[in-house]
Amino acid sequence: MSLTLSKKAQAVKPSSTLAITAKAAELRSQGIDVVGFGAGEPDFPTPENICNAAIDAINAGFTKYTAASGITELKQAVCDKFKKFNGLDYEPDQIVISNGGKHSLTNVFTALLNEGDEVIIPAPYWLSYPEIVKLAGGVPVFVSGNKEHGYKVSVEQLKNVTTSKTKALILNTPSNPTGMIYTEEELRQIADYVVENDIYVVSDEMYENLVYNGKKHVSIASFGEEIYKRTITVSGLAKSYAMTGWRIGYTGSTKEIAKLMGSVQSHQTSNPNSIAQKAALEALTSDQSAVDMMTKEFDNRRKYMYERVSRMKYVSTLEPDGAFYLFIDCSGVLNKSYKGKKIESIAEMSKILIEDYNVAVVPCGDFGFDDSIRLSYAIKIETIDKGLSRIEKFLDELN
Ligand SMILES: Cc1ncc(COP(=O)(O)O)c(C=O)c1O
């Protein structure tokens, strides 16, 4: 057969985080006690009132198609949240409710990009960005953040990678994988640069609720009319409300961009699940104490994990202020020997960890930083404890 398949689809790398989760699940199914630090989802159940809203929706027969870009009540609830939490004024026709943050990002780049448009992606980055950009015909352009600056990028660095083809910049604060947060001052400088250069910012704020150390999440679109017009603010319910499986995300943008995204979505997926939309409405409009409880618990785990990893040999980490990840520089492990053989890469180290110590970590090559790993603390503290002890044991074996 001489038929060929899509070059774009073939160029997509399968998600390595999902692959690690799958490997851990496979070992568990063989009865092996694996500690999985790969999870990108809260271990808490979805709060009961949210589940009940979904059950009520089913009982009320709210089980048919809705408007393709989401129900007006939910769009209004998203506007209210944007106003109260982010200081952003959006009308319901500027909101598109989607099937999750990933889907929102897909909508955004489908609406923004023409073939060959460049998108600046600061590294380390969430591994899906380059793939989503490429699928939409864009060209990812990477710029690495320095560890000394919390892996965040400066305007100077952006200048070095901006060309006449630059269409957009992706910003992710709080960051997956580093847990770092851009300060208001840093964001203001980037906003000025974006406006001067007339490009878009895709501001991924999925982890906006998960912020610690008294730090504050700031939305770049809130700095005035010019940056507001050029920003697409992306968020969702998955991380803040332990609703990963429900698949609800949303964007705030200009009406023009929202209309384009709504139109694309109307052909590609139609409305997000009607029942999940009612659950999302409950999540956004009800008492937020479950979010506070989860954030507090993540914070305890964050402190514990940071403390312990800081004391480990050959590795180093920065204290994260947000999300639920610790980003660990493991370059000190390279060229050390394990069982008489040199460790040549962090991918190899991760393989040893899962096979010999039954600890699943995420090597960050696919996040644009070969020498680091990401550990999630969206798992129970006892499990964190056990997993870190295993990593320490491995480090003790090196010479
Ligand atoms: C930074 C970031 N953005 C977006 C998403 C997508 O979230 P969702 O599960 O809503 O598609 C994730 C999920 O891991 C993420 O880490």
Side-chain angles (χ1 to χ4, degrees):
M1 205 166 74
S2 61
L3 293 171
T4 56
L5 296 172
S6 156
K7 288 195 180 98
K8 261 190 198 168
Q10 284 176 303
V12 170
K13 282 195 219 161
S15 165
S16 60
T17 45
L18 295 184
I20 286 155
T21 312
K23 175 81 189 169
E26 183 197 317
L27 290 175
R28 271 192 207 107
S29 73
Q30 296 164 16
I32 298 169
D33 169 31
V34 178
V35 173
F37 282 116
E41 64 181 348
D43 55 320
F44 302 104
T46 305
E48 203 179 344
N49 63 316
I50 300 175
C51 296
N52 286 338
I55 293 165
D56 290 348
I58 295 175
N59 288 335
F62 195 74
T63 52
K64 302 286 171 67
Y65 290 135
T66 72
S69 60
I71 55 175
T72 308
E73 284 164 284
L74 180 55
K75 289 184 183 182
Q76 186 58 57
V78 167
C79 291
D80 295 344
K81 176 258 160 199
F82 269 136
K83 177 80 187 155
K84 192 167 161 207
F85 190 78
N86 311 81
L88 293 171
D89 285 306
Y90 289 116
E91 303 283 332
D93 57 0
Q94 294 177 268
I95 307 296
V96 175
I97 312 290
S98 73
N99 298 280
K102 244 179 213 178
H103 184 211
S104 286
L105 288 161
T106 304
N107 282 340
V108 171
F109 290 110
T110 306
L112 293 188
L113 300 182
N114 288 310
E115 216 53 46
D117 282 347
E118 294 177 358
V119 177
I120 301 175
I121 307 180
Y125 46 77
W126 178 49
L127 80 177
S128 292
Y129 295 142
E131 309 309 317
I132 295 175
V133 166
K134 283 190 277 178
L135 279 172
V139 179
V141 173
F142 302 109
V143 51
S144 280
N146 296 326
K147 189 176 173 191
E148 299 71 49
H149 296 116
Y151 300 102
K152 295 182 275 189
V153 289
S154 64
V155 165
E156 281 313 308
Q157 288 176 297
L158 294 179
K159 276 184 194 161
N160 293 334
V161 290
T162 306
T163 72
S164 57
K165 290 190 183 152
T166 306
K167 189 66 161 288
L169 160 71
I170 301 183
L171 266 191
N172 175 214
T173 183
S175 156
N176 173 8
T178 67
M180 297 297 140
I181 291 180
Y182 279 83
T183 64
E184 177 166 351
E185 184 49 34
E186 289 161 346
L187 286 176
R188 280 195 187 273
Q189 287 171 9
I190 293 174
D192 289 345
Y193 182 76
V194 161
V195 172
E196 261 165 44
N197 287 272
D198 202 17
I199 58 179
Y200 288 107
V201 184
V202 179
S203 183
D204 180 341
E205 304 180 16
M206 281 301 288
Y207 295 89
E208 59 188 330
N209 283 101
L210 304 175
V211 172
Y212 321 103
N213 276 340
K215 296 278 163 67
K216 197 175 166 303
H217 169 75
V218 179
S219 292
I220 194 167
S222 65
F223 298 148
E225 190 54 29
E226 291 303 317
I227 186 69
Y228 173 88
K229 284 193 299 202
R230 289 172 178 80
T231 305
I232 300 92
T233 310
V234 180
S235 194
L237 283 284
K239 315 288 179 177
S240 304
Y241 296 92
M243 289 179 71
T244 43
W246 299 76
R247 312 306 305 136
I248 296 288
Y250 55 84
T251 45
S253 66
T254 61
K255 284 184 190 171
E256 190 190 7
I257 296 173
K259 200 167 161 206
L260 276 187
M261 292 194 291
S263 162
V264 167
Q265 182 164 304
S266 75
H267 291 293
Q268 288 187 327
T269 62
S270 287
N271 63 276
N273 180 297
S274 59
I275 300 150
Q277 288 190 70
K278 285 287 192 185
L281 179 64
E282 170 70 12
L284 291 176
T285 55
S286 62
D287 171 57
Q288 301 291 297
S289 54
V291 179
D292 296 342
M293 180 281 289
M294 290 189 271
T295 311
K296 217 165 148 203
E297 182 53 31
F298 284 136
D299 193 21
N300 289 337
R301 300 168 183 184
R302 178 188 70 90
K303 286 183 196 143
Y304 179 73
M305 197 157 172
Y306 170 65
E307 270 271 301
R308 267 191 79 174
V309 173
S310 300
R311 282 189 268 115
M312 287 183 190
K313 56 182 158 186
Y314 311 134
V315 302
S316 65
T317 190
L318 301 177
E319 183 177 356
D321 289 322
F324 40 61
Y325 306 107
L326 207 67
F327 190 65
I328 305 174
D329 179 350
C330 299
S331 46
V333 170
L334 294 175
N335 294 321
K336 292 260 172 294
S337 291
Y338 174 71
K339 292 189 179 167
K341 191 178 164 294
K342 265 200 177 138
I343 297 181
E344 310 274 0
S345 72
I346 295 309
E348 192 185 320
M349 180 193 87
S350 307
K351 199 159 169 272
I352 296 170
L353 279 172
I354 188 139
E355 287 175 356
D356 292 4
Y357 294 86
N358 301 136
V359 184
V361 302
V362 177
C364 287
D366 287 349
F367 292 70
F369 258 64
D370 284 336
D371 293 351
S372 296
I373 59 170
R374 189 194 75 177
L375 301 191
S376 162
Y377 48 87
I379 52 175
K380 306 245 168 318
I381 203 138
E382 307 80 59
T383 316
I384 292 175
D385 185 41
K386 186 160 59 173
L388 294 183
S389 298
R390 290 180 187 182
I391 294 175
E392 278 162 352
K393 211 161 153 215
F394 160 72
L395 294 173
D396 280 342
E397 287 295 316
L398 300 180
N399 46 50

